[in-house]
Amino acid sequence: MTSMTIAQAFDSLLREPLPLRFTAYDGSATGPEDAPFKFHLRTERGLAYLVTAPGDLGLARAYVSGDLEIEGVHPGDPYEAMRLLQKGLKLRRPAPGELVSLVQAVGLSSLKPPPPPPQESTPRWRRVLEGLRHSERRDADSIHHHYDVSNTFYEHVLGPSMTYTCAIFPTEDATLEEAQHTKYDVVARKLDLQPGQRLLDLGCGWGGMVRHAAREYGVHALGVTLSREQATWAQQRIKEEGLDDLAEVRHMDYRHVEESGFDAVSSIGLTEHIGIKNYPSYFSWIRDRLKPQGRLLNHCITRSDNKSRASAGAFIDRYVFPDGELAGSGTIVAAVEDVGLEVQHHENIRVHYAKTLAGWCHNLQENWDACVDEVGLGTARVWGLYMAGSRLAFERNEIQLHHVLATKTDDQGTSGYPLRHTF
């Protein structure tokens, strides 16, 4: 009996014909010859990645390592190929009798998992040895894995704003920089920042919100981040902009901030790293740092429902945000209300994140050679894959981005909030 080729084995698992061309190192192929994109499996190691880790993790390992190539698309922005793949790749479970033929096709050696690419974080079960999930040490390690890549790399990808959170586009044709400025200003107006007030920005990144509040609103702003690289960059930029008297960024865990009595707290892109079970303590901590009638603006990625499992897929957990967890916006609102804060406004801006990610992918593609020189080909591939995939998820309403605005009501039940929104 003649054994199947790799392409035949792959083809046998498809429920519907593939809209892409697939070729393998054994010379086999399947899919239309005139397809706009071709997936080429170059090596036996790549096959072993796909076989031993079915799904997004195996595909990511093969792609990041260079064992799987996508022809017809730039690695800085593989969005179009991923969109077509996501639309057309529908696999079925093989019948027990088919397994022998499939094993013969791929070879027994492919059933042994190869070592993962160096960009991959340890699996979640092994991280237990490094500390409990969301302990200070483990959180610091997770943040270091993603954010301490290289400030120069982030400058290439994020652009001059150095802002790694969802922008808000005032018009369809607004630039990424205009949209990031708009985002910070929307947050400032939702918080009703006034000259002389005090703002605490949690998970402040490279200090974009801190600098905006100080420069545009005359606010005394303190930002904290677990990334030493971010804090160093932010402090240098604060000095260059002459904002030393108003703005400060510290490299520290937010739990060690001793000051209180803030007029406003902004949490932009941090809640994803907190852990759902820690929401009560997190929002209680924020409540205790606010003065009566103070405001909180929580900006974070959310699920599209409140039932799905919190952890991200294996690729995101291993390559992008170790220990990251997402909840539905209802879970966020409930957690904020349950600690005694009063929710005043709740807004979904997910379509803006899809546009933001498209902008970042464009920057990565435009600066591809410089990015590869800075962080290496494998890491650059991770970022292209992650950002294009995330763009698809936001477009398909698989994940969302919510603003939740809340106030700390005083003992007389006064929130300080106007009759109607002023932003």
Side-chain angles (χ1 to χ4, degrees), residues 8 17 24 38 71 75 90 99-100 159 170 176-178 189 197 219 222 238 281 287 304 327 390 395 398 420:
Q8 288 172 333
K38 182 173 77 173
E71 299 179 13
K90 297 179 175 63
L99 290 176
V100 174
L176 181 59
E177 289 303 303
E178 291 169 341
R189 286 184 281 118
Q197 288 187 335
V219 168
L222 169 63
I238 287 171
S281 60
R287 177 201 62 208
S304 58
S390 296
E395 287 179 346
E398 294 169 1
R420 294 299 302 156

mmCIF file with all atom_site columns, all heavy atoms in Angstrom, residues 8 17 24 38 71 75 90 99-100 159 170 176-178 189 197 219 222 238 281 287 304 327 390 395 398 420:
data_model
loop_
_atom_site.group_PDB
_atom_site.id
_atom_site.type_symbol
_atom_site.label_atom_id
_atom_site.label_alt_id
_atom_site.label_comp_id
_atom_site.label_asym_id
_atom_site.label_entity_id
_atom_site.label_seq_id
_atom_site.pdbx_PDB_ins_code
_atom_site.Cartn_x
_atom_site.Cartn_y
_atom_site.Cartn_z
_atom_site.occupancy
_atom_site.B_iso_or_equiv
_atom_site.pdbx_formal_charge
_atom_site.auth_seq_id
_atom_site.auth_comp_id
_atom_site.auth_asym_id
_atom_site.auth_atom_id
_atom_site.pdbx_PDB_model_num
ATOM 1   N N   . GLN A 1 8   ? -1.495  15.139 1.147  1.00 0.00 ? 8   GLN A N   1
ATOM 2   C CA  . GLN A 1 8   ? -2.680  14.290 1.150  1.00 0.00 ? 8   GLN A CA  1
ATOM 3   C C   . GLN A 1 8   ? -3.203  14.080 2.567  1.00 0.00 ? 8   GLN A C   1
ATOM 4   O O   . GLN A 1 8   ? -4.418  14.081 2.799  1.00 0.00 ? 8   GLN A O   1
ATOM 5   C CB  . GLN A 1 8   ? -2.368  12.948 0.494  1.00 0.00 ? 8   GLN A CB  1
ATOM 6   C CG  . GLN A 1 8   ? -2.202  13.015 -1.010 1.00 0.00 ? 8   GLN A CG  1
ATOM 7   C CD  . GLN A 1 8   ? -1.707  11.708 -1.603 1.00 0.00 ? 8   GLN A CD  1
ATOM 8   O OE1 . GLN A 1 8   ? -1.032  10.918 -0.925 1.00 0.00 ? 8   GLN A OE1 1
ATOM 9   N NE2 . GLN A 1 8   ? -2.030  11.476 -2.877 1.00 0.00 ? 8   GLN A NE2 1
ATOM 10  N N   . PRO A 1 17  ? -12.780 22.276 0.826  1.00 0.00 ? 17  PRO A N   1
ATOM 11  C CA  . PRO A 1 17  ? -11.559 22.570 0.073  1.00 0.00 ? 17  PRO A CA  1
ATOM 12  C C   . PRO A 1 17  ? -10.870 23.825 0.601  1.00 0.00 ? 17  PRO A C   1
ATOM 13  O O   . PRO A 1 17  ? -11.514 24.797 1.001  1.00 0.00 ? 17  PRO A O   1
ATOM 14  C CB  . PRO A 1 17  ? -12.075 22.772 -1.360 1.00 0.00 ? 17  PRO A CB  1
ATOM 15  C CG  . PRO A 1 17  ? -13.353 22.016 -1.415 1.00 0.00 ? 17  PRO A CG  1
ATOM 16  C CD  . PRO A 1 17  ? -13.966 22.138 -0.045 1.00 0.00 ? 17  PRO A CD  1
ATOM 17  N N   . ALA A 1 24  ? 4.641   21.111 0.743  1.00 0.00 ? 24  ALA A N   1
ATOM 18  C CA  . ALA A 1 24  ? 5.486   20.549 1.798  1.00 0.00 ? 24  ALA A CA  1
ATOM 19  C C   . ALA A 1 24  ? 6.836   20.145 1.238  1.00 0.00 ? 24  ALA A C   1
ATOM 20  O O   . ALA A 1 24  ? 7.028   20.023 0.017  1.00 0.00 ? 24  ALA A O   1
ATOM 21  C CB  . ALA A 1 24  ? 4.793   19.360 2.450  1.00 0.00 ? 24  ALA A CB  1
ATOM 22  N N   . LYS A 1 38  ? 0.486   31.146 -0.356 1.00 0.00 ? 38  LYS A N   1
ATOM 23  C CA  . LYS A 1 38  ? 0.935   29.762 -0.290 1.00 0.00 ? 38  LYS A CA  1
ATOM 24  C C   . LYS A 1 38  ? 1.619   29.515 1.044  1.00 0.00 ? 38  LYS A C   1
ATOM 25  O O   . LYS A 1 38  ? 2.527   30.251 1.429  1.00 0.00 ? 38  LYS A O   1
ATOM 26  C CB  . LYS A 1 38  ? 1.906   29.447 -1.435 1.00 0.00 ? 38  LYS A CB  1
ATOM 27  C CG  . LYS A 1 38  ? 2.367   27.978 -1.425 1.00 0.00 ? 38  LYS A CG  1
ATOM 28  C CD  . LYS A 1 38  ? 3.192   27.626 -2.648 1.00 0.00 ? 38  LYS A CD  1
ATOM 29  C CE  . LYS A 1 38  ? 4.601   28.158 -2.542 1.00 0.00 ? 38  LYS A CE  1
ATOM 30  N NZ  . LYS A 1 38  ? 5.449   27.682 -3.656 1.00 0.00 ? 38  LYS A NZ  1
ATOM 31  N N   . GLU A 1 71  ? 3.952   32.613 1.682  1.00 0.00 ? 71  GLU A N   1
ATOM 32  C CA  . GLU A 1 71  ? 4.351   33.364 0.502  1.00 0.00 ? 71  GLU A CA  1
ATOM 33  C C   . GLU A 1 71  ? 3.186   34.217 0.000  1.00 0.00 ? 71  GLU A C   1
ATOM 34  O O   . GLU A 1 71  ? 2.039   33.783 0.032  1.00 0.00 ? 71  GLU A O   1
ATOM 35  C CB  . GLU A 1 71  ? 4.813   32.409 -0.595 1.00 0.00 ? 71  GLU A CB  1
ATOM 36  C CG  . GLU A 1 71  ? 6.024   31.578 -0.188 1.00 0.00 ? 71  GLU A CG  1
ATOM 37  C CD  . GLU A 1 71  ? 6.468   30.619 -1.279 1.00 0.00 ? 71  GLU A CD  1
ATOM 38  O OE1 . GLU A 1 71  ? 5.989   30.773 -2.427 1.00 0.00 ? 71  GLU A OE1 1
ATOM 39  O OE2 . GLU A 1 71  ? 7.276   29.718 -0.984 1.00 0.00 ? 71  GLU A OE2 1
ATOM 40  N N   . PRO A 1 75  ? 5.797   39.396 6.326  1.00 0.00 ? 75  PRO A N   1
ATOM 41  C CA  . PRO A 1 75  ? 5.741   38.870 7.692  1.00 0.00 ? 75  PRO A CA  1
ATOM 42  C C   . PRO A 1 75  ? 5.409   39.924 8.735  1.00 0.00 ? 75  PRO A C   1
ATOM 43  O O   . PRO A 1 75  ? 4.984   39.591 9.843  1.00 0.00 ? 75  PRO A O   1
ATOM 44  C CB  . PRO A 1 75  ? 7.142   38.296 7.912  1.00 0.00 ? 75  PRO A CB  1
ATOM 45  C CG  . PRO A 1 75  ? 8.011   38.981 6.905  1.00 0.00 ? 75  PRO A CG  1
ATOM 46  C CD  . PRO A 1 75  ? 7.129   39.221 5.719  1.00 0.00 ? 75  PRO A CD  1
ATOM 47  N N   . LYS A 1 90  ? -11.238 24.583 7.893  1.00 0.00 ? 90  LYS A N   1
ATOM 48  C CA  . LYS A 1 90  ? -12.188 23.869 8.743  1.00 0.00 ? 90  LYS A CA  1
ATOM 49  C C   . LYS A 1 90  ? -11.757 22.406 8.793  1.00 0.00 ? 90  LYS A C   1
ATOM 50  O O   . LYS A 1 90  ? -11.841 21.678 7.803  1.00 0.00 ? 90  LYS A O   1
ATOM 51  C CB  . LYS A 1 90  ? -13.609 24.001 8.185  1.00 0.00 ? 90  LYS A CB  1
ATOM 52  C CG  . LYS A 1 90  ? -14.134 25.434 8.161  1.00 0.00 ? 90  LYS A CG  1
ATOM 53  C CD  . LYS A 1 90  ? -15.536 25.498 7.571  1.00 0.00 ? 90  LYS A CD  1
ATOM 54  C CE  . LYS A 1 90  ? -16.103 26.903 7.658  1.00 0.00 ? 90  LYS A CE  1
ATOM 55  N NZ  . LYS A 1 90  ? -15.299 27.861 6.865  1.00 0.00 ? 90  LYS A NZ  1
ATOM 56  N N   . LEU A 1 99  ? -6.219  6.853  11.498 1.00 0.00 ? 99  LEU A N   1
ATOM 57  C CA  . LEU A 1 99  ? -5.052  7.308  12.252 1.00 0.00 ? 99  LEU A CA  1
ATOM 58  C C   . LEU A 1 99  ? -3.773  6.599  11.822 1.00 0.00 ? 99  LEU A C   1
ATOM 59  O O   . LEU A 1 99  ? -2.704  7.198  11.769 1.00 0.00 ? 99  LEU A O   1
ATOM 60  C CB  . LEU A 1 99  ? -5.294  7.103  13.750 1.00 0.00 ? 99  LEU A CB  1
ATOM 61  C CG  . LEU A 1 99  ? -6.352  8.028  14.366 1.00 0.00 ? 99  LEU A CG  1
ATOM 62  C CD1 . LEU A 1 99  ? -6.571  7.676  15.832 1.00 0.00 ? 99  LEU A CD1 1
ATOM 63  C CD2 . LEU A 1 99  ? -5.909  9.477  14.235 1.00 0.00 ? 99  LEU A CD2 1
ATOM 64  N N   . VAL A 1 100 ? -3.875  5.297  11.514 1.00 0.00 ? 100 VAL A N   1
ATOM 65  C CA  . VAL A 1 100 ? -2.683  4.554  11.109 1.00 0.00 ? 100 VAL A CA  1
ATOM 66  C C   . VAL A 1 100 ? -2.089  5.145  9.840  1.00 0.00 ? 100 VAL A C   1
ATOM 67  O O   . VAL A 1 100 ? -0.877  5.366  9.735  1.00 0.00 ? 100 VAL A O   1
ATOM 68  C CB  . VAL A 1 100 ? -3.016  3.067  10.904 1.00 0.00 ? 100 VAL A CB  1
ATOM 69  C CG1 . VAL A 1 100 ? -1.800  2.329  10.324 1.00 0.00 ? 100 VAL A CG1 1
ATOM 70  C CG2 . VAL A 1 100 ? -3.442  2.426  12.212 1.00 0.00 ? 100 VAL A CG2 1
ATOM 71  N N   . GLY A 1 159 ? 5.400   54.071 16.880 1.00 0.00 ? 159 GLY A N   1
ATOM 72  C CA  . GLY A 1 159 ? 5.467   55.427 16.370 1.00 0.00 ? 159 GLY A CA  1
ATOM 73  C C   . GLY A 1 159 ? 5.798   56.424 17.466 1.00 0.00 ? 159 GLY A C   1
ATOM 74  O O   . GLY A 1 159 ? 6.042   56.048 18.618 1.00 0.00 ? 159 GLY A O   1
ATOM 75  N N   . PRO A 1 170 ? -10.745 59.897 15.729 1.00 0.00 ? 170 PRO A N   1
ATOM 76  C CA  . PRO A 1 170 ? -11.817 60.895 15.624 1.00 0.00 ? 170 PRO A CA  1
ATOM 77  C C   . PRO A 1 170 ? -12.511 60.860 14.262 1.00 0.00 ? 170 PRO A C   1
ATOM 78  O O   . PRO A 1 170 ? -13.678 61.235 14.147 1.00 0.00 ? 170 PRO A O   1
ATOM 79  C CB  . PRO A 1 170 ? -11.087 62.217 15.853 1.00 0.00 ? 170 PRO A CB  1
ATOM 80  C CG  . PRO A 1 170 ? -9.665  61.952 15.437 1.00 0.00 ? 170 PRO A CG  1
ATOM 81  C CD  . PRO A 1 170 ? -9.408  60.528 15.811 1.00 0.00 ? 170 PRO A CD  1
ATOM 82  N N   . LEU A 1 176 ? -2.558  57.448 13.083 1.00 0.00 ? 176 LEU A N   1
ATOM 83  C CA  . LEU A 1 176 ? -2.392  56.756 14.356 1.00 0.00 ? 176 LEU A CA  1
ATOM 84  C C   . LEU A 1 176 ? -1.990  57.737 15.456 1.00 0.00 ? 176 LEU A C   1
ATOM 85  O O   . LEU A 1 176 ? -2.476  57.651 16.600 1.00 0.00 ? 176 LEU A O   1
ATOM 86  C CB  . LEU A 1 176 ? -1.342  55.653 14.214 1.00 0.00 ? 176 LEU A CB  1
ATOM 87  C CG  . LEU A 1 176 ? -1.050  54.809 15.456 1.00 0.00 ? 176 LEU A CG  1
ATOM 88  C CD1 . LEU A 1 176 ? -2.309  54.109 15.956 1.00 0.00 ? 176 LEU A CD1 1
ATOM 89  C CD2 . LEU A 1 176 ? 0.052   53.791 15.156 1.00 0.00 ? 176 LEU A CD2 1
ATOM 90  N N   . GLU A 1 177 ? -1.126  58.681 15.137 1.00 0.00 ? 177 GLU A N   1
ATOM 91  C CA  . GLU A 1 177 ? -0.693  59.658 16.132 1.00 0.00 ? 177 GLU A CA  1
ATOM 92  C C   . GLU A 1 177 ? -1.861  60.537 16.579 1.00 0.00 ? 177 GLU A C   1
ATOM 93  O O   . GLU A 1 177 ? -2.013  60.834 17.771 1.00 0.00 ? 177 GLU A O   1
ATOM 94  C CB  . GLU A 1 177 ? 0.435   60.527 15.568 1.00 0.00 ? 177 GLU A CB  1
ATOM 95  C CG  . GLU A 1 177 ? 1.743   59.785 15.403 1.00 0.00 ? 177 GLU A CG  1
ATOM 96  C CD  . GLU A 1 177 ? 2.230   59.171 16.702 1.00 0.00 ? 177 GLU A CD  1
ATOM 97  O OE1 . GLU A 1 177 ? 2.396   59.917 17.684 1.00 0.00 ? 177 GLU A OE1 1
ATOM 98  O OE2 . GLU A 1 177 ? 2.424   57.946 16.751 1.00 0.00 ? 177 GLU A OE2 1
ATOM 99  N N   . GLU A 1 178 ? -2.674  60.980 15.631 1.00 0.00 ? 178 GLU A N   1
ATOM 100 C CA  . GLU A 1 178 ? -3.847  61.777 15.983 1.00 0.00 ? 178 GLU A CA  1
ATOM 101 C C   . GLU A 1 178 ? -4.797  60.975 16.861 1.00 0.00 ? 178 GLU A C   1
ATOM 102 O O   . GLU A 1 178 ? -5.379  61.512 17.818 1.00 0.00 ? 178 GLU A O   1
ATOM 103 C CB  . GLU A 1 178 ? -4.568  62.227 14.713 1.00 0.00 ? 178 GLU A CB  1
ATOM 104 C CG  . GLU A 1 178 ? -3.796  63.259 13.889 1.00 0.00 ? 178 GLU A CG  1
ATOM 105 C CD  . GLU A 1 178 ? -4.400  63.487 12.513 1.00 0.00 ? 178 GLU A CD  1
ATOM 106 O OE1 . GLU A 1 178 ? -5.185  62.620 12.048 1.00 0.00 ? 178 GLU A OE1 1
ATOM 107 O OE2 . GLU A 1 178 ? -4.095  64.529 11.903 1.00 0.00 ? 178 GLU A OE2 1
ATOM 108 N N   . ARG A 1 189 ? -10.713 63.970 29.662 1.00 0.00 ? 189 ARG A N   1
ATOM 109 C CA  . ARG A 1 189 ? -12.008 64.641 29.776 1.00 0.00 ? 189 ARG A CA  1
ATOM 110 C C   . ARG A 1 189 ? -13.014 63.793 30.543 1.00 0.00 ? 189 ARG A C   1
ATOM 111 O O   . ARG A 1 189 ? -13.861 64.314 31.273 1.00 0.00 ? 189 ARG A O   1
ATOM 112 C CB  . ARG A 1 189 ? -12.534 65.005 28.385 1.00 0.00 ? 189 ARG A CB  1
ATOM 113 C CG  . ARG A 1 189 ? -11.770 66.188 27.778 1.00 0.00 ? 189 ARG A CG  1
ATOM 114 C CD  . ARG A 1 189 ? -12.334 66.643 26.441 1.00 0.00 ? 189 ARG A CD  1
ATOM 115 N NE  . ARG A 1 189 ? -11.916 65.780 25.340 1.00 0.00 ? 189 ARG A NE  1
ATOM 116 C CZ  . ARG A 1 189 ? -12.735 65.080 24.578 1.00 0.00 ? 189 ARG A CZ  1
ATOM 117 N NH1 . ARG A 1 189 ? -14.041 65.124 24.796 1.00 0.00 ? 189 ARG A NH1 1
ATOM 118 N NH2 . ARG A 1 189 ? -12.273 64.336 23.598 1.00 0.00 ? 189 ARG A NH2 1
ATOM 119 N N   . GLN A 1 197 ? -4.810  69.313 39.999 1.00 0.00 ? 197 GLN A N   1
ATOM 120 C CA  . GLN A 1 197 ? -5.271  68.033 40.528 1.00 0.00 ? 197 GLN A CA  1
ATOM 121 C C   . GLN A 1 197 ? -4.146  66.992 40.480 1.00 0.00 ? 197 GLN A C   1
ATOM 122 O O   . GLN A 1 197 ? -3.109  67.196 39.855 1.00 0.00 ? 197 GLN A O   1
ATOM 123 C CB  . GLN A 1 197 ? -6.483  67.538 39.737 1.00 0.00 ? 197 GLN A CB  1
ATOM 124 C CG  . GLN A 1 197 ? -7.763  68.303 40.001 1.00 0.00 ? 197 GLN A CG  1
ATOM 125 C CD  . GLN A 1 197 ? -8.955  67.672 39.314 1.00 0.00 ? 197 GLN A CD  1
ATOM 126 O OE1 . GLN A 1 197 ? -8.839  66.975 38.299 1.00 0.00 ? 197 GLN A OE1 1
ATOM 127 N NE2 . GLN A 1 197 ? -10.159 67.918 39.854 1.00 0.00 ? 197 GLN A NE2 1
ATOM 128 N N   . VAL A 1 219 ? -1.890  68.968 35.353 1.00 0.00 ? 219 VAL A N   1
ATOM 129 C CA  . VAL A 1 219 ? -2.148  68.022 36.435 1.00 0.00 ? 219 VAL A CA  1
ATOM 130 C C   . VAL A 1 219 ? -0.827  67.467 36.971 1.00 0.00 ? 219 VAL A C   1
ATOM 131 O O   . VAL A 1 219 ? 0.118   67.233 36.216 1.00 0.00 ? 219 VAL A O   1
ATOM 132 C CB  . VAL A 1 219 ? -3.047  66.876 35.929 1.00 0.00 ? 219 VAL A CB  1
ATOM 133 C CG1 . VAL A 1 219 ? -3.099  65.727 36.907 1.00 0.00 ? 219 VAL A CG1 1
ATOM 134 C CG2 . VAL A 1 219 ? -4.443  67.400 35.631 1.00 0.00 ? 219 VAL A CG2 1
ATOM 135 N N   . LEU A 1 222 ? 1.394   60.997 38.434 1.00 0.00 ? 222 LEU A N   1
ATOM 136 C CA  . LEU A 1 222 ? 2.325   59.944 38.815 1.00 0.00 ? 222 LEU A CA  1
ATOM 137 C C   . LEU A 1 222 ? 1.964   58.668 38.071 1.00 0.00 ? 222 LEU A C   1
ATOM 138 O O   . LEU A 1 222 ? 0.813   58.220 38.115 1.00 0.00 ? 222 LEU A O   1
ATOM 139 C CB  . LEU A 1 222 ? 2.259   59.691 40.324 1.00 0.00 ? 222 LEU A CB  1
ATOM 140 C CG  . LEU A 1 222 ? 2.978   58.436 40.838 1.00 0.00 ? 222 LEU A CG  1
ATOM 141 C CD1 . LEU A 1 222 ? 4.489   58.513 40.583 1.00 0.00 ? 222 LEU A CD1 1
ATOM 142 C CD2 . LEU A 1 222 ? 2.686   58.213 42.320 1.00 0.00 ? 222 LEU A CD2 1
ATOM 143 N N   . ILE A 1 238 ? 10.081  62.854 29.947 1.00 0.00 ? 238 ILE A N   1
ATOM 144 C CA  . ILE A 1 238 ? 9.534   63.884 30.846 1.00 0.00 ? 238 ILE A CA  1
ATOM 145 C C   . ILE A 1 238 ? 10.536  65.022 31.016 1.00 0.00 ? 238 ILE A C   1
ATOM 146 O O   . ILE A 1 238 ? 10.174  66.204 30.970 1.00 0.00 ? 238 ILE A O   1
ATOM 147 C CB  . ILE A 1 238 ? 9.174   63.262 32.212 1.00 0.00 ? 238 ILE A CB  1
ATOM 148 C CG1 . ILE A 1 238 ? 7.910   62.406 32.082 1.00 0.00 ? 238 ILE A CG1 1
ATOM 149 C CG2 . ILE A 1 238 ? 8.978   64.347 33.277 1.00 0.00 ? 238 ILE A CG2 1
ATOM 150 C CD1 . ILE A 1 238 ? 7.595   61.576 33.301 1.00 0.00 ? 238 ILE A CD1 1
ATOM 151 N N   . SER A 1 281 ? -9.679  42.992 45.050 1.00 0.00 ? 281 SER A N   1
ATOM 152 C CA  . SER A 1 281 ? -8.596  43.676 45.757 1.00 0.00 ? 281 SER A CA  1
ATOM 153 C C   . SER A 1 281 ? -8.040  44.828 44.924 1.00 0.00 ? 281 SER A C   1
ATOM 154 O O   . SER A 1 281 ? -7.645  45.867 45.475 1.00 0.00 ? 281 SER A O   1
ATOM 155 C CB  . SER A 1 281 ? -7.477  42.690 46.112 1.00 0.00 ? 281 SER A CB  1
ATOM 156 O OG  . SER A 1 281 ? -6.929  42.090 44.947 1.00 0.00 ? 281 SER A OG  1
ATOM 157 N N   . ARG A 1 287 ? -10.031 52.354 44.964 1.00 0.00 ? 287 ARG A N   1
ATOM 158 C CA  . ARG A 1 287 ? -11.007 53.126 45.747 1.00 0.00 ? 287 ARG A CA  1
ATOM 159 C C   . ARG A 1 287 ? -10.330 53.817 46.928 1.00 0.00 ? 287 ARG A C   1
ATOM 160 O O   . ARG A 1 287 ? -10.589 55.002 47.202 1.00 0.00 ? 287 ARG A O   1
ATOM 161 C CB  . ARG A 1 287 ? -12.099 52.184 46.252 1.00 0.00 ? 287 ARG A CB  1
ATOM 162 C CG  . ARG A 1 287 ? -13.152 52.833 47.150 1.00 0.00 ? 287 ARG A CG  1
ATOM 163 C CD  . ARG A 1 287 ? -13.829 51.764 47.986 1.00 0.00 ? 287 ARG A CD  1
ATOM 164 N NE  . ARG A 1 287 ? -12.877 51.091 48.869 1.00 0.00 ? 287 ARG A NE  1
ATOM 165 C CZ  . ARG A 1 287 ? -13.004 49.840 49.307 1.00 0.00 ? 287 ARG A CZ  1
ATOM 166 N NH1 . ARG A 1 287 ? -14.034 49.107 48.931 1.00 0.00 ? 287 ARG A NH1 1
ATOM 167 N NH2 . ARG A 1 287 ? -12.090 49.313 50.110 1.00 0.00 ? 287 ARG A NH2 1
ATOM 168 N N   . SER A 1 304 ? -16.262 39.231 24.683 1.00 0.00 ? 304 SER A N   1
ATOM 169 C CA  . SER A 1 304 ? -17.543 39.688 24.144 1.00 0.00 ? 304 SER A CA  1
ATOM 170 C C   . SER A 1 304 ? -18.714 39.142 24.941 1.00 0.00 ? 304 SER A C   1
ATOM 171 O O   . SER A 1 304 ? -19.871 39.453 24.651 1.00 0.00 ? 304 SER A O   1
ATOM 172 C CB  . SER A 1 304 ? -17.677 39.272 22.670 1.00 0.00 ? 304 SER A CB  1
ATOM 173 O OG  . SER A 1 304 ? -17.562 37.867 22.540 1.00 0.00 ? 304 SER A OG  1
ATOM 174 N N   . ALA A 1 327 ? -11.945 39.218 30.851 1.00 0.00 ? 327 ALA A N   1
ATOM 175 C CA  . ALA A 1 327 ? -13.315 38.987 31.288 1.00 0.00 ? 327 ALA A CA  1
ATOM 176 C C   . ALA A 1 327 ? -14.254 39.858 30.465 1.00 0.00 ? 327 ALA A C   1
ATOM 177 O O   . ALA A 1 327 ? -13.817 40.820 29.818 1.00 0.00 ? 327 ALA A O   1
ATOM 178 C CB  . ALA A 1 327 ? -13.469 39.322 32.768 1.00 0.00 ? 327 ALA A CB  1
ATOM 179 N N   . SER A 1 390 ? -4.725  39.563 16.322 1.00 0.00 ? 390 SER A N   1
ATOM 180 C CA  . SER A 1 390 ? -5.544  40.356 17.244 1.00 0.00 ? 390 SER A CA  1
ATOM 181 C C   . SER A 1 390 ? -6.479  41.281 16.478 1.00 0.00 ? 390 SER A C   1
ATOM 182 O O   . SER A 1 390 ? -7.638  41.481 16.865 1.00 0.00 ? 390 SER A O   1
ATOM 183 C CB  . SER A 1 390 ? -4.646  41.176 18.172 1.00 0.00 ? 390 SER A CB  1
ATOM 184 O OG  . SER A 1 390 ? -3.869  40.336 19.003 1.00 0.00 ? 390 SER A OG  1
ATOM 185 N N   . GLU A 1 395 ? -12.054 42.655 14.882 1.00 0.00 ? 395 GLU A N   1
ATOM 186 C CA  . GLU A 1 395 ? -12.989 42.838 13.776 1.00 0.00 ? 395 GLU A CA  1
ATOM 187 C C   . GLU A 1 395 ? -14.153 41.858 13.852 1.00 0.00 ? 395 GLU A C   1
ATOM 188 O O   . GLU A 1 395 ? -15.290 42.200 13.525 1.00 0.00 ? 395 GLU A O   1
ATOM 189 C CB  . GLU A 1 395 ? -12.255 42.670 12.446 1.00 0.00 ? 395 GLU A CB  1
ATOM 190 C CG  . GLU A 1 395 ? -11.334 43.817 12.088 1.00 0.00 ? 395 GLU A CG  1
ATOM 191 C CD  . GLU A 1 395 ? -10.600 43.606 10.784 1.00 0.00 ? 395 GLU A CD  1
ATOM 192 O OE1 . GLU A 1 395 ? -10.581 42.465 10.275 1.00 0.00 ? 395 GLU A OE1 1
ATOM 193 O OE2 . GLU A 1 395 ? -10.038 44.582 10.269 1.00 0.00 ? 395 GLU A OE2 1
ATOM 194 N N   . GLU A 1 398 ? -14.730 38.962 18.585 1.00 0.00 ? 398 GLU A N   1
ATOM 195 C CA  . GLU A 1 398 ? -14.352 37.901 19.516 1.00 0.00 ? 398 GLU A CA  1
ATOM 196 C C   . GLU A 1 398 ? -13.825 38.499 20.812 1.00 0.00 ? 398 GLU A C   1
ATOM 197 O O   . GLU A 1 398 ? -13.947 37.896 21.880 1.00 0.00 ? 398 GLU A O   1
ATOM 198 C CB  . GLU A 1 398 ? -13.303 36.994 18.867 1.00 0.00 ? 398 GLU A CB  1
ATOM 199 C CG  . GLU A 1 398 ? -13.853 36.228 17.672 1.00 0.00 ? 398 GLU A CG  1
ATOM 200 C CD  . GLU A 1 398 ? -12.763 35.539 16.870 1.00 0.00 ? 398 GLU A CD  1
ATOM 201 O OE1 . GLU A 1 398 ? -11.583 35.646 17.257 1.00 0.00 ? 398 GLU A OE1 1
ATOM 202 O OE2 . GLU A 1 398 ? -13.098 34.899 15.850 1.00 0.00 ? 398 GLU A OE2 1
ATOM 203 N N   . ARG A 1 420 ? -25.300 65.633 33.269 1.00 0.00 ? 420 ARG A N   1
ATOM 204 C CA  . ARG A 1 420 ? -25.044 64.955 32.010 1.00 0.00 ? 420 ARG A CA  1
ATOM 205 C C   . ARG A 1 420 ? -23.532 64.899 31.781 1.00 0.00 ? 420 ARG A C   1
ATOM 206 O O   . ARG A 1 420 ? -22.779 65.713 32.307 1.00 0.00 ? 420 ARG A O   1
ATOM 207 C CB  . ARG A 1 420 ? -25.706 65.705 30.838 1.00 0.00 ? 420 ARG A CB  1
ATOM 208 C CG  . ARG A 1 420 ? -27.222 65.725 30.871 1.00 0.00 ? 420 ARG A CG  1
ATOM 209 C CD  . ARG A 1 420 ? -27.821 64.335 30.813 1.00 0.00 ? 420 ARG A CD  1
ATOM 210 N NE  . ARG A 1 420 ? -27.396 63.615 29.613 1.00 0.00 ? 420 ARG A NE  1
ATOM 211 C CZ  . ARG A 1 420 ? -27.365 62.281 29.497 1.00 0.00 ? 420 ARG A CZ  1
ATOM 212 N NH1 . ARG A 1 420 ? -27.722 61.531 30.520 1.00 0.00 ? 420 ARG A NH1 1
ATOM 213 N NH2 . ARG A 1 420 ? -27.003 61.715 28.384 1.00 0.00 ? 420 ARG A NH2 1
#
